[in-house]
Amino acid sequence: MPTAPTTHQAQQRGPRKLPAILPQATPALFSRPFFEQKNRAFWLLQAAGWTGYLLLRSVSSISNGLTLAGIVPILVESIIGYCITLLLSALYGSYRKLPRISGGALSVLTLIVATALYAVLDAFAFSLMNREGNGINLTLVLGTIFLNFTVLSGWSALYFGINFYLIIEDQIDQLEKLGNQASTAQLAMLRYQLNPHFLFNTLNSISTLVLLKQTERANAMLSRLSSFLRYTLANEPTAHVTIAQEVETLKLYLEIEKMRFEARLRPSFSIDPRCAKARLPSLLLQPLVENAIKYAVTPQEDGAEINVSAQLDGDWVQIIVSDTGPGLRQQKSRASLSTGVGLANIRDRLAQAFGPQHRFETRSTPGGGFRVEIDIPFQLDEPAREAA
């Protein structure tokens, strides 16, 4: 009998060896850890900024012929500016609670008042140290306004710029957290779909055995069902298990199915020891084996063989679940199980767990049979996920 045509349902994987992407060095000043403690970051920036301003003004004045004694007014000017910007930070912080327009208008007005105050205090200090008497020279006040406004405007721009950066970073963190929670919830939903589906088929078989008055077999199947559920329900729905653990779960499941099919069901396993500790989503392969039982073992009088293999291929783990059943038929596709879960569920779980870094393909084999090929990255660690 001619074999059915080969079909694909695949997610293309990336190159075999993923390039190691090294993060570019980020200046410590603007890296996220620097701003984890915002108060500490503010005081460090405040001290560094005004110290740099003092050094720059001092070097510029000395190069223009000013004596060391003339540095004292510059030192006083820097101290006054330091204190005024502390007041500005407190006022700007309180304005953030106001509506945007009124807060912006108050910020501009505060900057103008602060500039005038800075210019008066700066002129007073200069006249006190360089002239007789305590009078303030109006010309000196007007002469210092431009420099003071430039300094305070630059400081204000940095203040709002850094705060805007921190707000964006917080929003990004919140979006990532919400995305992780949504992904985890979807994984849990996909995983929980399998439990009622499996229970329905197994309990239906037990019911059939009871109706046939085969109580010993029904009790044995119930006992193995309880062992299987105890094993599977111990894992979190979004947990990743090792291939060795997944194979043990499959063997528990097949012990239940052997009660129904006996010699007609002939499973075999070929697991490369090198990938036994590789991780994959829990209960990922059980629907594939169940699919093979339904479409390969059940319709054939002599049953079928089901083989599960896992091989290490470079940085990838290749998993194959195959059977010796009739394969694909043109009239009926094996794209889903009886409850509509099956292969679509597995495809979604792989996409959630590995993104584009996986391959999922189904096909008929020459001479009859059906096989599912899955390639996933070789991972030994449990992926970190947010709790749903």
Side-chain angles (χ1 to χ4, degrees), residues 46-106:
Q46 182 79 347
W50 283 106
T51 301
Y53 175 79
L54 174 61
L55 292 176
L56 180 63
R57 290 271 287 147
S58 300
V59 170
S60 176
S61 299
I62 292 174
S63 64
N64 290 328
L66 194 66
T67 62
L68 290 176
I71 302 300
V72 176
I74 298 177
L75 176 61
V76 174
E77 174 190 343
S78 300
I79 294 173
I80 294 173
Y82 182 90
C83 295
I84 288 178
T85 50
L86 289 181
L87 179 60
L88 283 178
S89 67
L91 293 174
Y92 288 160
S94 64
Y95 295 161
R96 291 171 59 184
K97 302 177 183 179
L98 301 175
R100 184 174 301 178
I101 296 178
S102 58
L106 281 175

Coordinates of all heavy atoms in Angstrom, one line a residue, residues 46-106:
Q46 N 25.4 64.5 43.4 CA 25.4 65.9 43.8 C 26.8 66.3 44.2 O 27.3 67.4 43.9 CB 24.5 66.1 45.0 CG 24.4 67.5 45.6 CD 23.5 68.4 44.8 OE1 23.1 68.1 43.7 NE2 23.2 69.5 45.4
A47 N 27.5 65.5 45.0 CA 28.9 65.8 45.4 C 29.8 65.8 44.2 O 30.7 66.7 44.1 CB 29.3 64.7 46.5
A48 N 29.7 64.8 43.3 CA 30.6 64.8 42.2 C 30.4 66.0 41.3 O 31.4 66.6 40.8 CB 30.4 63.5 41.4
G49 N 29.2 66.4 41.1 CA 28.9 67.5 40.2 C 29.4 68.8 40.7 O 30.1 69.5 39.9
W50 N 29.1 69.1 41.9 CA 29.6 70.4 42.4 C 31.1 70.4 42.7 O 31.7 71.5 42.6 CB 28.8 70.8 43.7 CG 27.4 71.3 43.4 CD1 26.3 70.6 43.5 CD2 27.1 72.5 42.8 NE1 25.2 71.4 43.0 CE2 25.7 72.6 42.6 CE3 27.9 73.6 42.4 CZ2 25.1 73.7 42.1 CZ3 27.2 74.7 41.8 CH2 25.9 74.8 41.7
T51 N 31.7 69.3 43.0 CA 33.1 69.2 43.1 C 33.8 69.5 41.8 O 34.8 70.2 41.6 CB 33.6 67.8 43.7 OG1 33.0 67.6 44.9 CG2 35.1 67.8 43.8
G52 N 33.2 68.9 40.7 CA 33.7 69.1 39.4 C 33.5 70.6 39.0 O 34.4 71.2 38.3
Y53 N 32.4 71.2 39.3 CA 32.2 72.6 39.0 C 33.2 73.5 39.7 O 33.8 74.4 39.1 CB 30.8 73.0 39.5 CG 30.5 74.5 39.3 CD1 30.1 75.0 38.1 CD2 30.5 75.3 40.4 CE1 29.8 76.3 37.9 CE2 30.2 76.7 40.3 CZ 29.9 77.2 39.0 OH 29.6 78.5 38.9
L54 N 33.5 73.2 41.0 CA 34.5 73.9 41.8 C 35.9 73.8 41.1 O 36.6 74.8 41.0 CB 34.5 73.5 43.2 CG 35.6 74.1 44.1 CD1 35.5 75.6 44.2 CD2 35.6 73.4 45.5
L55 N 36.3 72.6 40.8 CA 37.6 72.4 40.1 C 37.7 73.1 38.8 O 38.7 73.8 38.5 CB 37.9 70.9 40.0 CG 38.0 70.1 41.3 CD1 38.2 68.7 41.0 CD2 39.3 70.7 42.0
L56 N 36.6 73.0 38.0 CA 36.6 73.7 36.7 C 36.7 75.2 36.8 O 37.5 75.8 36.1 CB 35.4 73.3 35.9 CG 35.2 73.9 34.5 CD1 36.3 73.3 33.6 CD2 33.9 73.5 33.9
R57 N 36.0 75.8 37.7 CA 36.0 77.2 37.9 C 37.3 77.7 38.5 O 37.9 78.7 38.1 CB 34.9 77.7 38.8 CG 33.5 77.5 38.2 CD 33.1 78.8 37.5 NE 32.8 79.8 38.4 CZ 33.0 81.1 38.2 NH1 33.6 81.6 37.1 NH2 32.6 82.0 39.2
S58 N 37.9 76.9 39.4 CA 39.2 77.3 40.0 C 40.3 77.2 39.0 O 41.1 78.1 38.9 CB 39.5 76.3 41.2 OG 38.5 76.4 42.1
V59 N 40.4 76.2 38.2 CA 41.4 76.0 37.2 C 41.3 77.1 36.1 O 42.3 77.7 35.7 CB 41.3 74.6 36.5 CG1 42.3 74.6 35.3 CG2 41.7 73.6 37.5
S60 N 40.0 77.5 35.7 CA 39.8 78.5 34.8 C 40.3 79.9 35.3 O 40.9 80.7 34.6 CB 38.4 78.6 34.4 OG 38.1 79.6 33.5
S61 N 40.0 80.1 36.6 CA 40.3 81.4 37.2 C 41.9 81.5 37.4 O 42.4 82.6 37.1 CB 39.6 81.6 38.6 OG 38.2 81.6 38.4
I62 N 42.5 80.5 37.8 CA 44.0 80.5 38.0 C 44.7 80.7 36.7 O 45.7 81.4 36.6 CB 44.4 79.2 38.7 CG1 43.9 79.2 40.2 CG2 45.9 79.1 38.7 CD1 44.2 77.9 40.9
S63 N 44.2 80.0 35.6 CA 44.8 80.2 34.3 C 44.6 81.6 33.8 O 45.4 82.1 32.9 CB 44.2 79.2 33.3 OG 42.8 79.5 33.1
N64 N 43.6 82.4 34.3 CA 43.4 83.8 33.9 C 44.1 84.7 34.8 O 43.9 86.0 34.7 CB 41.9 84.1 33.8 CG 41.2 83.4 32.7 OD1 41.8 83.2 31.6 ND2 40.0 83.0 32.9
G65 N 45.0 84.2 35.7 CA 45.8 85.1 36.5 C 45.3 85.4 37.9 O 45.8 86.2 38.6
L66 N 44.2 84.7 38.3 CA 43.7 84.9 39.6 C 44.5 84.2 40.7 O 45.0 83.1 40.4 CB 42.2 84.4 39.7 CG 41.4 84.9 40.9 CD1 41.1 86.4 40.8 CD2 40.1 84.1 40.9
T67 N 44.7 84.8 41.8 CA 45.5 84.2 42.8 C 44.7 83.2 43.6 O 43.5 83.1 43.5 CB 46.0 85.3 43.8 OG1 44.9 85.9 44.4 CG2 46.8 86.4 43.1
L68 N 45.4 82.4 44.5 CA 44.7 81.4 45.2 C 43.7 82.0 46.2 O 42.7 81.4 46.5 CB 45.8 80.6 46.0 CG 46.6 79.6 45.2 CD1 47.7 79.0 46.0 CD2 45.8 78.6 44.4
A69 N 44.0 83.2 46.7 CA 43.1 83.9 47.6 C 41.8 84.2 46.9 O 40.7 84.3 47.5 CB 43.7 85.2 48.1
G70 N 41.8 84.4 45.6 CA 40.6 84.7 44.8 C 39.8 83.5 44.6 O 38.6 83.6 44.0
I71 N 40.2 82.3 45.0 CA 39.5 81.1 44.9 C 38.4 81.0 45.9 O 37.4 80.3 45.8 CB 40.4 79.8 44.9 CG1 41.5 79.9 43.9 CG2 39.6 78.6 44.8 CD1 41.0 80.0 42.5
V72 N 38.6 81.7 47.0 CA 37.6 81.7 48.1 C 36.2 82.0 47.7 O 35.2 81.3 48.0 CB 38.1 82.5 49.3 CG1 37.0 82.5 50.4 CG2 39.4 82.0 49.8
P73 N 36.0 83.1 46.9 CA 34.6 83.4 46.4 C 34.0 82.3 45.6 O 32.8 82.0 45.6 CB 34.8 84.7 45.6 CG 36.0 85.4 46.2 CD 36.9 84.2 46.5
I74 N 34.9 81.7 44.8 CA 34.4 80.6 44.0 C 34.0 79.4 44.8 O 33.0 78.7 44.6 CB 35.5 80.1 43.0 CG1 35.8 81.3 42.0 CG2 35.0 78.9 42.2 CD1 37.0 81.0 41.1
L75 N 34.7 79.1 45.9 CA 34.3 78.1 46.9 C 33.0 78.4 47.5 O 32.1 77.5 47.6 CB 35.4 77.9 47.9 CG 35.2 76.9 49.0 CD1 35.0 75.5 48.5 CD2 36.3 76.9 50.1
V76 N 32.8 79.7 47.9 CA 31.6 80.1 48.5 C 30.4 79.9 47.5 O 29.3 79.5 47.8 CB 31.7 81.5 49.1 CG1 30.3 82.0 49.6 CG2 32.7 81.6 50.2
E77 N 30.7 80.3 46.3 CA 29.7 80.2 45.2 C 29.3 78.8 45.0 O 28.1 78.5 44.9 CB 30.3 80.8 43.9 CG 29.3 80.6 42.7 CD 30.1 80.9 41.4 OE1 31.1 81.6 41.4 OE2 29.6 80.5 40.3
S78 N 30.2 77.8 45.1 CA 29.9 76.4 44.9 C 29.1 75.9 46.1 O 28.1 75.1 45.9 CB 31.2 75.6 44.7 OG 31.9 76.0 43.6
I79 N 29.4 76.3 47.3 CA 28.6 75.9 48.4 C 27.2 76.4 48.4 O 26.2 75.7 48.7 CB 29.3 76.4 49.7 CG1 30.7 75.6 49.9 CG2 28.5 76.1 50.9 CD1 31.5 76.2 51.0
I80 N 27.1 77.7 48.0 CA 25.7 78.2 47.8 C 24.9 77.5 46.8 O 23.7 77.1 47.0 CB 25.8 79.7 47.5 CG1 26.4 80.5 48.6 CG2 24.4 80.3 47.1 CD1 26.7 82.0 48.3
G81 N 25.6 77.2 45.6 CA 24.9 76.5 44.6 C 24.5 75.1 45.1 O 23.4 74.6 44.7
Y82 N 25.4 74.4 45.8 CA 25.1 73.1 46.4 C 23.8 73.1 47.2 O 22.9 72.3 47.1 CB 26.3 72.6 47.2 CG 26.1 71.2 47.7 CD1 26.5 70.1 47.0 CD2 25.6 71.0 49.0 CE1 26.4 68.8 47.6 CE2 25.5 69.8 49.6 CZ 25.9 68.7 48.8 OH 25.8 67.4 49.4
C83 N 23.7 74.1 48.1 CA 22.6 74.2 49.0 C 21.3 74.6 48.3 O 20.2 74.0 48.5 CB 22.9 75.3 50.1 SG 24.2 74.9 51.2
I84 N 21.4 75.5 47.3 CA 20.2 75.9 46.5 C 19.7 74.7 45.7 O 18.4 74.4 45.6 CB 20.5 77.0 45.6 CG1 20.7 78.3 46.4 CG2 19.4 77.2 44.5 CD1 21.1 79.5 45.6
T85 N 20.6 73.8 45.1 CA 20.1 72.7 44.4 C 19.5 71.6 45.3 O 18.6 70.9 44.9 CB 21.2 72.1 43.6 OG1 22.4 71.8 44.4 CG2 21.6 73.0 42.4
L86 N 19.9 71.6 46.6 CA 19.2 70.7 47.5 C 17.8 71.1 47.7 O 16.9 70.3 47.8 CB 20.0 70.7 48.8 CG 21.3 69.9 48.9 CD1 21.9 70.0 50.3 CD2 21.2 68.5 48.4
L87 N 17.6 72.5 47.8 CA 16.3 73.0 48.0 C 15.4 72.7 46.7 O 14.3 72.4 46.8 CB 16.3 74.5 48.3 CG 15.0 75.2 48.5 CD1 14.2 74.6 49.6 CD2 15.2 76.7 48.7
L88 N 16.1 72.9 45.6 CA 15.4 72.6 44.3 C 14.9 71.2 44.2 O 13.8 70.9 43.7 CB 16.3 73.0 43.1 CG 16.5 74.5 42.8 CD1 17.4 74.6 41.6 CD2 15.1 75.1 42.4
S89 N 15.8 70.3 44.6 CA 15.4 68.8 44.5 C 14.2 68.5 45.4 O 13.3 67.8 45.0 CB 16.6 68.0 45.0 OG 16.9 68.1 46.3
A90 N 14.1 69.2 46.6 CA 12.9 68.9 47.4 C 11.7 69.5 46.8 O 10.6 68.9 46.8 CB 13.2 69.6 48.8
L91 N 11.8 70.7 46.2 CA 10.6 71.4 45.6 C 10.2 70.6 44.3 O 9.0 70.4 44.1 CB 11.0 72.8 45.3 CG 11.2 73.8 46.5 CD1 11.6 75.1 46.0 CD2 9.9 73.9 47.3
Y92 N 11.2 70.2 43.5 CA 10.8 69.5 42.3 C 10.1 68.2 42.6 O 9.2 67.7 41.9 CB 12.1 69.2 41.4 CG 12.7 70.4 40.8 CD1 14.0 70.4 40.3 CD2 11.9 71.5 40.5 CE1 14.5 71.5 39.7 CE2 12.4 72.7 39.9 CZ 13.8 72.6 39.5 OH 14.3 73.7 38.8
G93 N 10.6 67.5 43.7 CA 10.0 66.3 44.1 C 8.6 66.4 44.5 O 7.7 65.6 44.2
S94 N 8.3 67.5 45.2 CA 6.9 67.8 45.6 C 6.0 68.1 44.4 O 4.8 67.8 44.4 CB 6.8 68.9 46.6 OG 7.3 70.1 46.1
Y95 N 6.6 68.8 43.4 CA 5.8 69.2 42.2 C 5.4 68.0 41.4 O 4.4 68.1 40.6 CB 6.6 70.1 41.3 CG 6.9 71.5 42.0 CD1 8.0 72.3 41.5 CD2 6.2 71.9 43.1 CE1 8.3 73.5 42.1 CE2 6.5 73.1 43.7 CZ 7.5 73.9 43.2 OH 7.8 75.1 43.8
R96 N 6.1 66.8 41.5 CA 5.8 65.7 40.7 C 4.4 65.1 41.1 O 3.8 64.4 40.3 CB 6.8 64.6 40.9 CG 8.2 65.0 40.3 CD 9.3 64.0 40.7 NE 8.9 62.6 40.3 CZ 9.7 61.6 40.6 NH1 10.7 61.7 41.4 NH2 9.3 60.4 40.2
K97 N 3.9 65.4 42.2 CA 2.6 65.0 42.6 C 1.4 65.8 42.0 O 0.3 65.4 42.1 CB 2.5 65.0 44.2 CG 3.5 64.1 44.9 CD 3.4 64.2 46.4 CE 4.5 63.4 47.1 NZ 4.4 63.5 48.5
L98 N 1.8 67.0 41.5 CA 0.8 67.9 40.9 C 0.5 67.5 39.5 O 1.2 66.7 38.8 CB 1.3 69.3 41.0 CG 1.6 69.9 42.4 CD1 2.2 71.3 42.3 CD2 0.4 69.9 43.2
P99 N -0.6 68.0 38.9 CA -0.8 67.8 37.4 C 0.3 68.3 36.6 O 1.1 69.2 37.0 CB -2.1 68.6 37.2 CG -2.8 68.7 38.5 CD -1.7 68.7 39.5
R100 N 0.5 67.8 35.4 CA 1.7 68.0 34.6 C 1.9 69.5 34.3 O 3.0 70.0 34.4 CB 1.6 67.2 33.3 CG 2.9 67.3 32.5 CD 2.8 66.3 31.3 NE 2.7 65.0 31.8 CZ 2.5 63.9 30.9 NH1 2.5 64.1 29.6 NH2 2.4 62.7 31.4
I101 N 0.8 70.2 33.9 CA 1.0 71.6 33.5 C 1.3 72.4 34.6 O 2.2 73.3 34.6 CB -0.4 72.0 32.8 CG1 -0.6 71.2 31.5 CG2 -0.3 73.5 32.5 CD1 -1.9 71.6 30.8
S102 N 0.6 72.3 35.7 CA 0.8 73.2 36.9 C 2.2 72.8 37.5 O 2.9 73.7 38.0 CB -0.3 73.0 37.9 OG -0.4 71.6 38.3
G103 N 2.6 71.6 37.5 CA 3.9 71.2 38.0 C 5.0 71.8 37.2 O 6.0 72.2 37.7
G104 N 4.8 71.7 35.9 CA 5.8 72.3 35.0 C 6.0 73.8 35.2 O 7.1 74.4 35.2
A105 N 4.8 74.5 35.3 CA 4.9 75.9 35.5 C 5.5 76.3 36.8 O 6.3 77.2 36.8 CB 3.4 76.5 35.4
L106 N 5.2 75.6 37.8 CA 5.9 75.9 39.1 C 7.4 75.6 39.1 O 8.2 76.3 39.7 CB 5.2 75.0 40.2 CG 3.9 75.5 40.8 CD1 3.3 74.5 41.7 CD2 4.0 76.9 41.4

